Amino acid sequence: MRKAEQAVARAFTEHLRIKATSLGSLFQACPLDGGDRNVLADYLISDHDNFSLIEFKSTQSEIKTEAKKQRVHSLCAALESNPSMRDLHDLCHFIAWKDRSSKQVTVNVYRHEVCNQATLGNTCVVALTAGGAREFTGTFGQGFCRPPPRRSITFAEFKVYLDWLLLVTTQGTVTNLAFATHSITTDTVTLAEFASLDAGYNWLQTHRPRAAYQP
């Protein structure tokens, strides 16, 4: 993950943590490190019950670099032929970047920005340019943190989507998502790494802070 993308990711995750605190919700940002290439996302984000994936780019123009990844072409084609997975994707798989004019972090559904010929070229089955409703982070955070969730899905739904996503992008060679997370109290910072979504979910259930942490 490049330095400019890290700045976008940090701004986004810090904002959502503050938004969650203001709404009495929880927020966990989990970097995917090496697992990012398999799920086309840099972070898994969660309120300990619901989950989403998010890819970060430094600018909108950088979104076109996704065209270099064969996994992206495979995902876009698979989404077109599977409406049920497309519905889950639209609720939990996003991409964010810094808006050139406003300098604000902007978010959209991943396929709305990526799965079109303007981004992937003429081989893409979707001829349209980028679509969907772009949001600044504040609006996205409201939908993510305030129930009922509109920018995330339940663990059971997310597991279905993740299993399907990994099947599409790795042809079944990878079946688990490894990620890291942490628990923060006034006295300790505990880091934890997991080899699977199930292991991470179980840890999150037993590490619920009594109140949302605000740095």
Side-chain angles (χ1 to χ4, degrees):
M1 194 175 182
R2 294 181 300 177
K3 186 175 181 179
E5 292 174 355
Q6 289 176 343
V8 174
R10 181 178 179 182
F12 175 90
T13 54
E14 287 187 357
H15 180 92
L16 256 68
R17 193 180 302 281
I18 292 171
K19 174 68 76 171
T21 299
S22 71
L23 295 174
S25 182
L26 301 177
F27 178 73
Q28 203 77 14
C30 309
L32 299 180
D33 299 324
D36 61 340
R37 65 185 306 274
N38 297 324
V39 296
L40 303 173
D42 295 308
Y43 274 72
L44 179 153
I45 57 176
S46 175
D47 64 357
H48 288 243
D49 293 310
N50 302 292
F51 294 82
S52 292
L53 295 169
I54 185 155
E55 172 79 357
F56 292 104
K57 296 295 181 187
S58 55
T59 63
Q60 186 178 354
S61 61
E62 284 293 309
I63 293 174
K64 288 191 175 183
T65 62
E66 292 293 274
K68 300 176 182 179
K69 306 172 185 176
Q70 181 55 47
R71 303 177 297 282
V72 172
H73 294 265
S74 298
L75 173 62
C76 292
L79 286 169
E80 279 303 297
S81 62
N82 194 322
S84 62
M85 288 300 149
R86 189 165 65 240
D87 289 344
L88 290 179
H89 171 94
D90 287 2
L91 290 171
C92 78
H93 201 153
F94 303 96
I95 189 166
W97 66 94
K98 183 183 72 175
D99 182 75
R100 184 176 182 179
S101 57
S102 70
K103 308 303 181 185
Q104 293 193 58
V105 177
T106 307
V107 189
N108 200 355
V109 173
Y110 183 90
R111 76 175 181 93
H112 287 167
E113 292 293 330
V114 176
C115 296
N116 55 72
Q117 291 185 2
T119 300
L120 299 185
N122 293 335
T123 58
C124 181
V125 296
V126 181
L128 300 176
T129 56
R134 293 170 178 163
E135 301 175 318
F136 289 131
T137 312
T139 305
F140 178 90
Q142 190 83 6
F144 182 85
C145 299
R146 185 180 291 280
R150 294 181 292 108
R151 296 294 180 267
S152 63
I153 55 180
T154 67
F155 171 70
E157 293 171 323
F158 186 74
K159 188 172 181 179
V160 169
Y161 175 70
L162 181 65
D163 288 346
W164 176 83
L165 176 62
L166 288 172
L167 183 63
V168 169
T169 59
T170 74
Q171 290 75 52
T173 60
V174 177
T175 58
N176 285 310
L177 175 65
F179 64 97
T181 190
H182 61 268
S183 174
I184 298 176
T185 69
T186 54
D187 298 314
T188 63
V189 178
T190 303
L191 302 177
E193 296 181 351
F194 310 101
S196 70
L197 179 65
D198 285 330
Y201 176 74
N202 291 336
W203 189 90
L204 287 171
Q205 298 313 296
T206 58
H207 288 77
R208 289 176 176 269
R210 292 184 179 180
Y213 167 77
Q214 183 173 349

